[in-house]
Amino acid sequence: MKKIALAVTALAVTALALSACSNARTDAGAGGDASAAAGFAADATIGVALPDKTSENWVLAGDLFTKDLEAAGFKADVQYAPASNTVAEQQNQISAMITNGAKVIVIGAKDGKQLGTQLQQAADAGVKIIAYDRLLENSENVDYYVAFDNFKVGQLQGQALLDGLEARSGHGAPWNIELFSGSPDDANSAVFFNGALDVLQPKIDDGTLVVKSGQDEIAQTATQGWKAENAQSRMDSILTSTYSSDTLDGVLSPNDTLARAILTSVKQAGKDVATFTVTGQDSEVESVKSIMAGEQYSTINKDTTLLVEQTVKMIGELQQGEDAEVNDTEQYDNGVKVVPAYLLEPVIVTKENAAEAYANVPSLLEIVQAAQ
Ligand code: BGC
């Protein structure tokens, strides 16, 4: 309740400030004639700038944005940054969207710290910016953030690691674990890691968990570019340096792509993965299969369909000349401001609850049912 009250107060303050300093905005609260209150044309172009395709959710997001924006009457300009020269290409794509008259630009950033110039250009042109899934950092010119609750994702991963160790390792504490985090240029990586450590650190401190390599700082655990090969080679070298006689019981992996790379490495080293726990995120097809086969322990369901729907809903509110609805005005400080956010709830998935968790995702439910 307190959170909601604060959010409402903050929104009211924001609305007041906006109406006080901007005569370009129309008063959303006045009601009456919808066209008079419209923020921009109902068939305006909406830009969507997505990063390179480091996981299936990004591919799906692009398709859904095209479909949902057009169904809502907008023109969709959806662009992916190519895998090479990604930051510069994304900067160019966003500039072009502004020049071409987009009214809102949704950004899934490759590197959320490197778009300051483009965000300023957008603000100068009156273009609203919605950070999608990844926060845009160190800029005043970010209007909204829409994402699954990333800190919660990390907490769920930390708890799943503990549960898996208990259920699968075949022995009691202490358990030997290793920690992996995502790409350092993605603002989410630290949030996932901190969420996981919120659960794991007390267990490391009391000796329940041992990070045998000693690599427990985020910089030591990072996976540049979220690339599978980088996680696999780090796992290979830790296994060689640290686990020639000791057993590795589990690994905190921030997503599914990296979880499968870690499993490959561990299998190649001759470990029986039925007694090993690795976490994940994204509900990628191959990982759902792996979970059902008893290999990967957990993943997270962040239903991209819901996240895109929520984003398009916010764009609809902006089109009407209203502020977009948010449900968090405290958590996402981008270094310059706390960005008003709409956060969705992530869901942990293991073999036990997979059928229930994917009840509304037919393609994954089919995999689960085929394996049961
Ligand atoms: C997303 C994750 C994804 C990762 C790599 C993160 O920003 O939140 O879902 O696994 O990027 O693509």
Side-chain angles (χ1 to χ4, degrees):
M1 273 324 279
K2 185 166 162 242
K3 241 183 169 177
I4 293 170
L6 276 175
V8 170
T9 316
L11 263 182
V13 171
T14 312
L16 270 179
L18 278 174
S19 56
C21 68
S22 160
N23 53 17
R25 294 286 304 252
T26 41
D27 185 359
D33 183 354
S35 62
F40 50 83
D43 64 350
T45 298
I46 308 298
V48 180
L50 297 173
D52 51 342
K53 300 171 180 176
T54 41
S55 52
E56 284 170 9
N57 52 347
W58 294 113
V59 180
L60 183 57
D63 295 344
L64 289 169
F65 269 119
T66 303
K67 183 166 121 321
D68 290 7
L69 283 169
E70 284 174 3
F74 299 112
K75 294 183 200 80
D77 179 7
V78 178
Q79 310 267 349
Y80 282 94
S84 62
N85 211 15
T86 323
V87 171
E89 291 293 340
Q90 189 166 53
Q91 291 170 336
N92 293 339
Q93 287 170 341
I94 293 167
S95 290
M97 287 170 184
I98 299 166
T99 313
N100 294 338
K103 295 298 177 201
V104 179
I105 303 179
V106 177
I107 303 178
K110 165 65 178 173
D111 183 337
K113 286 194 178 72
Q114 296 209 53
L115 296 173
T117 307
Q118 290 68 34
L119 298 181
Q120 185 60 53
Q121 194 190 344
D124 294 344
V127 178
K128 295 280 170 208
I129 296 291
I130 301 180
Y132 173 85
D133 187 272
R134 299 174 172 178
L135 191 57
L136 295 162
E137 296 174 281
N138 299 340
S139 170
E140 188 59 49
N141 305 309
V142 186
D143 296 287
Y144 296 100
Y145 180 44
V146 58
F148 280 87
D149 185 337
N150 299 307
F151 191 78
K152 182 80 189 288
V153 167
Q155 289 176 314
L156 292 172
Q157 291 172 331
Q159 188 56 50
L161 179 59
L162 282 177
D163 294 346
L165 291 168
E166 207 153 302
R168 291 158 71 104
S169 67
H171 64 87
W175 290 290
N176 293 330
I177 63 159
E178 294 298 332
L179 307 173
F180 280 67
S181 59
S183 192
D185 51 11
D186 176 353
N188 283 349
S189 298
V191 186
F192 297 147
F193 193 72
N194 293 339
L197 283 193
D198 184 51
V199 176
L200 299 176
Q201 192 65 52
K203 301 290 180 187
I204 296 173
D205 294 344
D206 74 11
T208 305
L209 302 176
V210 181
V211 183
K212 247 189 161 282
S213 68
Q215 298 179 17
D216 57 3
E217 298 292 326
I218 188 162
Q220 298 173 301
T221 65
T223 311
Q224 198 63 46
W226 288 100
K227 289 207 170 95
E229 60 263 35
N230 294 340
Q232 192 171 331
S233 68
R234 177 166 175 258
M235 189 75 264
D236 287 347
S237 65
I238 292 178
L239 286 170
T240 309
S241 64
T242 314
Y243 293 96
S244 51
S245 49
D246 288 305
T247 305
L248 174 63
D249 296 307
V251 170
L252 173 75
S253 164
N255 82 355
D256 286 349
T257 309
L258 307 192
R260 296 196 303 276
I262 289 161
L263 278 169
T264 303
S265 168
V266 165
K267 280 191 206 169
Q268 278 169 5
K271 168 106 190 136
D272 173 10
V273 292
T275 62
F276 175 75
T277 299
V278 63
T279 60
Q281 163 172 216
D282 295 333
S283 296
E284 294 199 344
V285 168
E286 288 310 313
S287 282
V288 173
K289 288 182 182 162
S290 173
I291 289 172
M292 296 316 290
E295 297 198 342
Q296 186 173 324
Y297 179 67
S298 66
T299 185
I300 302 274
N301 188 20
K302 302 195 299 185
D303 190 336
T304 305
T305 310
L306 298 181
L307 195 59
V308 171
E309 267 172 27
Q310 182 59 38
T311 313
V312 173
K313 179 166 174 275
M314 291 165 88
I315 295 167
E317 289 160 351
L318 296 174
Q319 187 278 321
Q320 292 288 307
E322 297 165 11
D323 288 327
E325 187 192 343
V326 295
N327 61 10
D328 180 279
T329 53
E330 291 171 9
Q331 284 194 63
Y332 285 92
D333 188 332
N334 78 349
V336 175
K337 70 187 253 194
V338 177
V339 181
Y342 198 102
L343 303 179
L344 301 181
E345 275 290 297
V347 176
I348 190 77
V349 185
T350 62
K351 195 173 176 175
E352 277 66 55
N353 74 338
E356 188 193 330
Y358 299 133
N360 296 321
V361 191
S363 55
L364 297 180
L365 187 59
E366 205 174 298
I367 295 170
V368 171
Q369 285 168 343
Q372 272 170 348

mmCIF file of all heavy atoms in Angstrom, residues 52-55 57-58 133-134 150 186 188 192 226 254-257 281-282 302, ligand 1:
data_model
loop_
_atom_site.group_PDB
_atom_site.id
_atom_site.type_symbol
_atom_site.label_atom_id
_atom_site.label_comp_id
_atom_site.label_asym_id
_atom_site.label_seq_id
_atom_site.Cartn_x
_atom_site.Cartn_y
_atom_site.Cartn_z
ATOM 1 N N ASP A 52 21.240 -6.931 -30.342
ATOM 2 C CA ASP A 52 21.455 -8.158 -31.114
ATOM 3 C C ASP A 52 20.746 -9.320 -30.426
ATOM 4 O O ASP A 52 20.339 -9.229 -29.270
ATOM 5 C CB ASP A 52 22.950 -8.436 -31.338
ATOM 6 C CG ASP A 52 23.747 -8.397 -30.051
ATOM 7 O OD1 ASP A 52 23.264 -7.843 -29.052
ATOM 8 O OD2 ASP A 52 24.864 -8.928 -30.030
ATOM 9 N N LYS A 53 20.594 -10.410 -31.159
ATOM 10 C CA LYS A 53 19.674 -11.477 -30.718
ATOM 11 C C LYS A 53 20.360 -12.468 -29.782
ATOM 12 O O LYS A 53 20.550 -13.629 -30.125
ATOM 13 C CB LYS A 53 19.092 -12.158 -31.951
ATOM 14 C CG LYS A 53 18.330 -11.181 -32.835
ATOM 15 C CD LYS A 53 17.929 -11.778 -34.173
ATOM 16 C CE LYS A 53 17.165 -10.753 -35.004
ATOM 17 N NZ LYS A 53 16.823 -11.202 -36.338
ATOM 18 N N THR A 54 20.706 -11.986 -28.556
ATOM 19 C CA THR A 54 21.453 -12.835 -27.613
ATOM 20 C C THR A 54 20.573 -13.873 -26.919
ATOM 21 O O THR A 54 21.096 -14.705 -26.186
ATOM 22 C CB THR A 54 22.142 -11.979 -26.537
ATOM 23 O OG1 THR A 54 21.244 -10.952 -26.137
ATOM 24 C CG2 THR A 54 23.422 -11.375 -27.057
ATOM 25 N N SER A 55 19.263 -13.774 -27.093
ATOM 26 C CA SER A 55 18.406 -14.854 -26.608
ATOM 27 C C SER A 55 17.079 -14.802 -27.367
ATOM 28 O O SER A 55 16.760 -13.814 -28.019
ATOM 29 C CB SER A 55 18.205 -14.779 -25.090
ATOM 30 O OG SER A 55 17.787 -13.511 -24.711
ATOM 31 N N ASN A 57 14.111 -14.416 -26.535
ATOM 32 C CA ASN A 57 13.104 -13.406 -26.193
ATOM 33 C C ASN A 57 13.225 -12.153 -27.059
ATOM 34 O O ASN A 57 12.230 -11.510 -27.364
ATOM 35 C CB ASN A 57 13.161 -13.049 -24.688
ATOM 36 C CG ASN A 57 14.549 -12.678 -24.221
ATOM 37 O OD1 ASN A 57 15.540 -12.897 -24.918
ATOM 38 N ND2 ASN A 57 14.649 -12.096 -23.037
ATOM 39 N N TRP A 58 14.453 -11.818 -27.484
ATOM 40 C CA TRP A 58 14.621 -10.625 -28.330
ATOM 41 C C TRP A 58 14.028 -10.845 -29.714
ATOM 42 O O TRP A 58 13.469 -9.931 -30.325
ATOM 43 C CB TRP A 58 16.104 -10.256 -28.442
ATOM 44 C CG TRP A 58 16.683 -9.810 -27.132
ATOM 45 C CD1 TRP A 58 17.640 -10.463 -26.397
ATOM 46 C CD2 TRP A 58 16.334 -8.637 -26.374
ATOM 47 N NE1 TRP A 58 17.909 -9.763 -25.243
ATOM 48 C CE2 TRP A 58 17.120 -8.645 -25.200
ATOM 49 C CE3 TRP A 58 15.436 -7.590 -26.575
ATOM 50 C CZ2 TRP A 58 17.035 -7.639 -24.230
ATOM 51 C CZ3 TRP A 58 15.343 -6.589 -25.616
ATOM 52 C CH2 TRP A 58 16.140 -6.621 -24.464
ATOM 53 N N ASP A 133 13.011 -3.694 -21.065
ATOM 54 C CA ASP A 133 13.748 -4.822 -20.481
ATOM 55 C C ASP A 133 15.075 -4.414 -19.839
ATOM 56 O O ASP A 133 15.410 -4.863 -18.761
ATOM 57 C CB ASP A 133 13.959 -5.939 -21.525
ATOM 58 C CG ASP A 133 14.569 -7.180 -20.889
ATOM 59 O OD1 ASP A 133 15.805 -7.270 -20.808
ATOM 60 O OD2 ASP A 133 13.799 -8.045 -20.442
ATOM 61 N N ARG A 134 15.851 -3.559 -20.501
ATOM 62 C CA ARG A 134 17.130 -3.085 -19.959
ATOM 63 C C ARG A 134 17.036 -1.585 -19.698
ATOM 64 O O ARG A 134 16.596 -0.833 -20.579
ATOM 65 C CB ARG A 134 18.257 -3.346 -20.965
ATOM 66 C CG ARG A 134 18.440 -4.816 -21.290
ATOM 67 C CD ARG A 134 19.467 -5.021 -22.386
ATOM 68 N NE ARG A 134 19.769 -6.435 -22.567
ATOM 69 C CZ ARG A 134 20.600 -6.916 -23.489
ATOM 70 N NH1 ARG A 134 21.205 -6.087 -24.325
ATOM 71 N NH2 ARG A 134 20.825 -8.210 -23.574
ATOM 72 N N ASN A 150 13.682 -7.359 -12.380
ATOM 73 C CA ASN A 150 14.982 -8.024 -12.553
ATOM 74 C C ASN A 150 15.621 -8.457 -11.233
ATOM 75 O O ASN A 150 16.304 -9.471 -11.176
ATOM 76 C CB ASN A 150 15.950 -7.092 -13.290
ATOM 77 C CG ASN A 150 15.462 -6.736 -14.667
ATOM 78 O OD1 ASN A 150 15.143 -7.615 -15.451
ATOM 79 N ND2 ASN A 150 15.388 -5.456 -14.984
ATOM 80 N N ASP A 186 25.275 -4.557 -20.071
ATOM 81 C CA ASP A 186 23.820 -4.665 -19.888
ATOM 82 C C ASP A 186 23.490 -4.325 -18.426
ATOM 83 O O ASP A 186 23.962 -5.009 -17.512
ATOM 84 C CB ASP A 186 23.397 -6.104 -20.225
ATOM 85 C CG ASP A 186 21.920 -6.374 -19.975
ATOM 86 O OD1 ASP A 186 21.222 -5.497 -19.419
ATOM 87 O OD2 ASP A 186 21.464 -7.475 -20.335
ATOM 88 N N ASN A 188 21.051 -4.892 -16.720
ATOM 89 C CA ASN A 188 20.385 -5.980 -15.989
ATOM 90 C C ASN A 188 21.367 -6.901 -15.282
ATOM 91 O O ASN A 188 21.016 -7.534 -14.282
ATOM 92 C CB ASN A 188 19.557 -6.864 -16.943
ATOM 93 C CG ASN A 188 18.259 -6.191 -17.333
ATOM 94 O OD1 ASN A 188 17.885 -5.183 -16.765
ATOM 95 N ND2 ASN A 188 17.585 -6.777 -18.307
ATOM 96 N N PHE A 192 20.491 -8.679 -11.727
ATOM 97 C CA PHE A 192 20.290 -10.133 -11.559
ATOM 98 C C PHE A 192 21.256 -10.672 -10.498
ATOM 99 O O PHE A 192 20.872 -11.437 -9.617
ATOM 100 C CB PHE A 192 20.564 -10.912 -12.862
ATOM 101 C CG PHE A 192 19.660 -10.594 -14.030
ATOM 102 C CD1 PHE A 192 20.147 -10.639 -15.337
ATOM 103 C CD2 PHE A 192 18.317 -10.275 -13.843
ATOM 104 C CE1 PHE A 192 19.327 -10.371 -16.426
ATOM 105 C CE2 PHE A 192 17.487 -9.997 -14.931
ATOM 106 C CZ PHE A 192 17.996 -10.045 -16.227
ATOM 107 N N TRP A 226 27.126 -11.705 -23.348
ATOM 108 C CA TRP A 226 26.198 -12.810 -23.070
ATOM 109 C C TRP A 226 26.494 -13.997 -23.983
ATOM 110 O O TRP A 226 25.586 -14.721 -24.408
ATOM 111 C CB TRP A 226 24.742 -12.391 -23.261
ATOM 112 C CG TRP A 226 24.146 -11.466 -22.252
ATOM 113 C CD1 TRP A 226 23.967 -10.116 -22.369
ATOM 114 C CD2 TRP A 226 23.575 -11.822 -20.967
ATOM 115 N NE1 TRP A 226 23.339 -9.617 -21.234
ATOM 116 C CE2 TRP A 226 23.089 -10.646 -20.368
ATOM 117 C CE3 TRP A 226 23.442 -13.032 -20.276
ATOM 118 C CZ2 TRP A 226 22.470 -10.618 -19.122
ATOM 119 C CZ3 TRP A 226 22.821 -13.003 -19.025
ATOM 120 C CH2 TRP A 226 22.338 -11.814 -18.471
ATOM 121 N N PRO A 254 22.985 -16.752 -15.080
ATOM 122 C CA PRO A 254 21.959 -15.722 -15.213
ATOM 123 C C PRO A 254 20.954 -15.985 -16.325
ATOM 124 O O PRO A 254 19.875 -15.384 -16.319
ATOM 125 C CB PRO A 254 22.756 -14.454 -15.498
ATOM 126 C CG PRO A 254 24.015 -14.939 -16.135
ATOM 127 C CD PRO A 254 24.313 -16.282 -15.525
ATOM 128 N N ASN A 255 21.301 -16.835 -17.324
ATOM 129 C CA ASN A 255 20.267 -17.126 -18.333
ATOM 130 C C ASN A 255 20.459 -18.509 -18.953
ATOM 131 O O ASN A 255 21.414 -19.237 -18.625
ATOM 132 C CB ASN A 255 20.157 -16.001 -19.382
ATOM 133 C CG ASN A 255 21.177 -16.075 -20.508
ATOM 134 O OD1 ASN A 255 22.070 -16.922 -20.521
ATOM 135 N ND2 ASN A 255 21.030 -15.184 -21.464
ATOM 136 N N ASP A 256 19.522 -18.863 -19.817
ATOM 137 C CA ASP A 256 19.495 -20.221 -20.378
ATOM 138 C C ASP A 256 20.656 -20.489 -21.335
ATOM 139 O O ASP A 256 21.223 -21.581 -21.340
ATOM 140 C CB ASP A 256 18.176 -20.452 -21.131
ATOM 141 C CG ASP A 256 16.991 -20.647 -20.198
ATOM 142 O OD1 ASP A 256 17.207 -20.821 -18.983
ATOM 143 O OD2 ASP A 256 15.844 -20.629 -20.693
ATOM 144 N N THR A 257 20.973 -19.506 -22.176
ATOM 145 C CA THR A 257 22.069 -19.698 -23.137
ATOM 146 C C THR A 257 23.339 -20.071 -22.378
ATOM 147 O O THR A 257 24.064 -20.997 -22.760
ATOM 148 C CB THR A 257 22.305 -18.393 -23.928
ATOM 149 O OG1 THR A 257 21.062 -17.946 -24.440
ATOM 150 C CG2 THR A 257 23.273 -18.588 -25.061
ATOM 151 N N GLN A 281 17.342 -18.598 -17.189
ATOM 152 C CA GLN A 281 16.325 -17.551 -17.356
ATOM 153 C C GLN A 281 15.964 -17.498 -18.825
ATOM 154 O O GLN A 281 16.854 -17.677 -19.665
ATOM 155 C CB GLN A 281 16.906 -16.194 -16.923
ATOM 156 C CG GLN A 281 16.118 -15.004 -17.418
ATOM 157 C CD GLN A 281 16.550 -13.662 -16.865
ATOM 158 O OE1 GLN A 281 15.732 -12.801 -16.631
ATOM 159 N NE2 GLN A 281 17.837 -13.454 -16.648
ATOM 160 N N ASP A 282 14.722 -17.235 -19.134
ATOM 161 C CA ASP A 282 14.180 -16.944 -20.475
ATOM 162 C C ASP A 282 13.270 -18.035 -21.026
ATOM 163 O O ASP A 282 12.608 -17.821 -22.031
ATOM 164 C CB ASP A 282 15.262 -16.660 -21.547
ATOM 165 C CG ASP A 282 16.058 -15.401 -21.284
ATOM 166 O OD1 ASP A 282 15.515 -14.490 -20.625
ATOM 167 O OD2 ASP A 282 17.225 -15.332 -21.713
ATOM 168 N N LYS A 302 9.619 -15.260 -18.292
ATOM 169 C CA LYS A 302 9.305 -13.839 -18.442
ATOM 170 C C LYS A 302 8.542 -13.791 -19.762
ATOM 171 O O LYS A 302 9.166 -13.750 -20.832
ATOM 172 C CB LYS A 302 10.577 -12.999 -18.559
ATOM 173 C CG LYS A 302 11.521 -13.120 -17.388
ATOM 174 C CD LYS A 302 12.577 -12.010 -17.393
ATOM 175 C CE LYS A 302 13.467 -11.986 -18.603
ATOM 176 N NZ LYS A 302 14.543 -10.965 -18.522
HETATM 177 C C1 BGC B 1 17.575 -10.008 -20.540
HETATM 178 C C2 BGC B 1 17.648 -11.497 -20.373
HETATM 179 C C3 BGC B 1 18.537 -12.095 -21.451
HETATM 180 C C4 BGC B 1 19.859 -11.353 -21.581
HETATM 181 C C5 BGC B 1 20.652 -11.814 -22.777
HETATM 182 C C6 BGC B 1 18.966 -9.462 -20.559
HETATM 183 O O1 BGC B 1 18.965 -8.093 -20.608
HETATM 184 O O2 BGC B 1 16.806 -9.453 -19.488
HETATM 185 O O3 BGC B 1 16.357 -12.029 -20.454
HETATM 186 O O4 BGC B 1 18.827 -13.428 -21.133
HETATM 187 O O5 BGC B 1 19.619 -9.990 -21.690
HETATM 188 O O6 BGC B 1 19.955 -11.626 -23.952
#
